[in-house]
C-alpha cells in the first residue's frame, strides 16, 4: 500500500438505508465494505456488487446461524467472526453476536464472550497491529442500553486495551433518529455505524502481500 494512503471504509449495520443508491455509492469511492450485522443478506449482496470492493461482515443477533450444514453468509463477504484478517489492505479483527437474552442465534453469555475474545486475541498476536475492530455489539457501558437485549460486552474492554485499533465499529444499538456520539478509549474511536458511516482509516503497515489483501472475499 502506498505510504500515507487512507483506506475509505463504508460500514453498515442494523437498518437498510435507502440513500445508499448506486449513484451515491459510486461517488463515495469505497475501498472496503464492512457490515456489523442485522441487515438482510440480499441487501448486503447488492451493496457489495455496487461498490465492487473487498467486503467482510460479522453476524448480528438477528442474522441466521452460519456454519456446517447452515447458511454460509452473504455472497461476496468474508465472515470475520472470531478472526483477524487482512481485507482491502486493512488488518481487521471481528467478533459478532450480542449478549444472550433468548435462544436465538449469535448470542452469548458474558463468560462465553470472554472465551471468544481470548481466542481472538491469540490470533491477533500472530497477525501484528490491528487497524480496526468490527463487532456487532458495543463494549459494556460505552454506547449500550440498559435493557437485557442491548447490554454491551464486558470482554471488549480487554480487547480494546490489548489491540488498541484506530477504530472500533459496531451496530446493535439503534439510534432511532438520535445522535449517537463517538466514544474514545485510548487511541481508539468507538463508533455506532447504524445505518451507515464512511470512515477513512490509515493502515498501520503495508499489508499488500498478506493473504487475502486486496481481493474480494
Amino acid at each position: 500500500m502506498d505510504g500515507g494512503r487512507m483506506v475509505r471504509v463504508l460500514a453498515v449495520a442494523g437498518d437498510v438505508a435507502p440513500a445508499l443508491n448506486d449513484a451515491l455509492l459510486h461517488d463515495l469511492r469505497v475501498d472496503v465494505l464492512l457490515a456489523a450485522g442485522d441487515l438482510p443478506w440480499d441487501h448486503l449482496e447488492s451493496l457489495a456488487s455496487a461498490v465492487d470492493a473487498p467486503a467482510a461482515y460479522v453476524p448480528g443477533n438477528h442474522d441466521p446461524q452460519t456454519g456446517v450444514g447452515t447458511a454460509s453468509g452473504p455472497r461476496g463477504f468474508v465472515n470475520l467472526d472470531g478472526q483477524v484478517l487482512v481485507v482491502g489492505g486493512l488488518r481487521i479483527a471481528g467478533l459478532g453476536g450480542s449478549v444472550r437474552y433468548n435462544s436465538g442465534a449469535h448470542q452469548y453469555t458474558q463468560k462465553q464472550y470472554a472465551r471468544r475474545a481470548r481466542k481472538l486475541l491469540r490470533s491477533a498476536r500472530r497477525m501484528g497491529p490491528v487497524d480496526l475492530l468490527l463487532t456487532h455489539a458495543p463494549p459494556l457501558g460505552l454506547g449500550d442500553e440498559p435493557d437485557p437485549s442491548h447490554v454491551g460486552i464486558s470482554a471488549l474492554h480487554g480487547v480494546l486495551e490489548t489491540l488498541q485499533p484506530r477504530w472500533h465499529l459496531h451496530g446493535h444499538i439503534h439510534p432511532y433518529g438520535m445522535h449517537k456520539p463517538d466514544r474514545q478509549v485510548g487511541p481508539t474511536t468507538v463508533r455506532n455505524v447504524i445505518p451507515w458511516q464512511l470512515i477513512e482509516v490509515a493502515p498501520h503497515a503495508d499489508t499488500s502481500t498478506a493473504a487475502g489483501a486486496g481481493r474480494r472475499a
Side-chain angles (χ1 to χ4, degrees):
M1 181 164 295
D2 297 335
R5 183 193 167 202
M6 302 292 282
V7 177
R8 293 169 66 85
V9 175
L10 174 62
V12 296
D15 293 326
V16 173
L20 283 178
N21 54 43
D22 287 353
L24 177 58
L25 290 169
H26 178 268
D27 291 343
L28 292 179
R29 295 180 288 111
V30 174
D31 297 313
V32 175
L33 173 62
L34 298 178
D38 287 355
L39 281 170
W41 287 359
D42 58 350
H43 175 65
L44 292 180
E45 291 165 1
S46 177
L47 291 178
S49 177
V51 301
D52 192 26
Y57 83 106
V58 293
N61 53 291
H62 294 296
D63 286 324
Q65 187 63 269
T66 55
V68 177
T70 66
S72 59
R75 290 188 302 274
F77 283 76
V78 63
N79 187 347
L80 274 172
D81 192 16
Q83 301 196 77
V84 182
L85 298 173
V86 174
V87 182
L90 295 177
R91 192 174 286 117
I92 304 174
L95 278 172
S98 73
V99 71
R100 180 171 294 283
Y101 63 94
N102 63 25
S103 59
H106 308 298
Q107 298 179 37
Y108 308 93
T109 66
Q110 296 285 8
K111 183 178 290 187
Q112 287 172 329
Y113 213 102
R115 288 197 292 268
R116 301 179 76 240
R118 288 193 294 269
K119 183 177 179 181
L120 179 73
L121 292 177
R122 288 194 294 270
S123 297
R125 281 195 289 270
R126 298 191 293 269
M127 292 289 292
V130 168
D131 298 303
L132 191 151
L133 173 65
L134 180 70
T135 69
H136 178 62
L140 181 67
L142 288 176
D144 57 353
E145 299 287 352
D147 62 286
S149 60
H150 292 101
V151 171
I153 305 299
S154 178
L156 289 177
H157 289 278
V159 173
L160 290 176
E161 182 178 356
T162 301
L163 298 184
Q164 299 200 358
R166 302 186 193 280
W167 290 91
H168 174 195
L169 308 182
H170 70 85
H172 193 50
I173 309 301
H174 291 258
Y176 296 118
M178 299 178 63
H179 174 63
K180 294 291 185 181
D182 291 346
R183 291 129 283 150
Q184 199 69 30
V185 180
T188 305
T189 301
V190 182
R191 179 170 292 182
N192 184 333
V193 300
I194 296 176
W196 67 276
Q197 291 278 323
L198 184 71
I199 299 158
E200 293 192 335
V201 182
H204 272 99
D206 184 2
T207 55
S208 59
T209 59
R215 294 189 288 110
R216 280 288 292 274

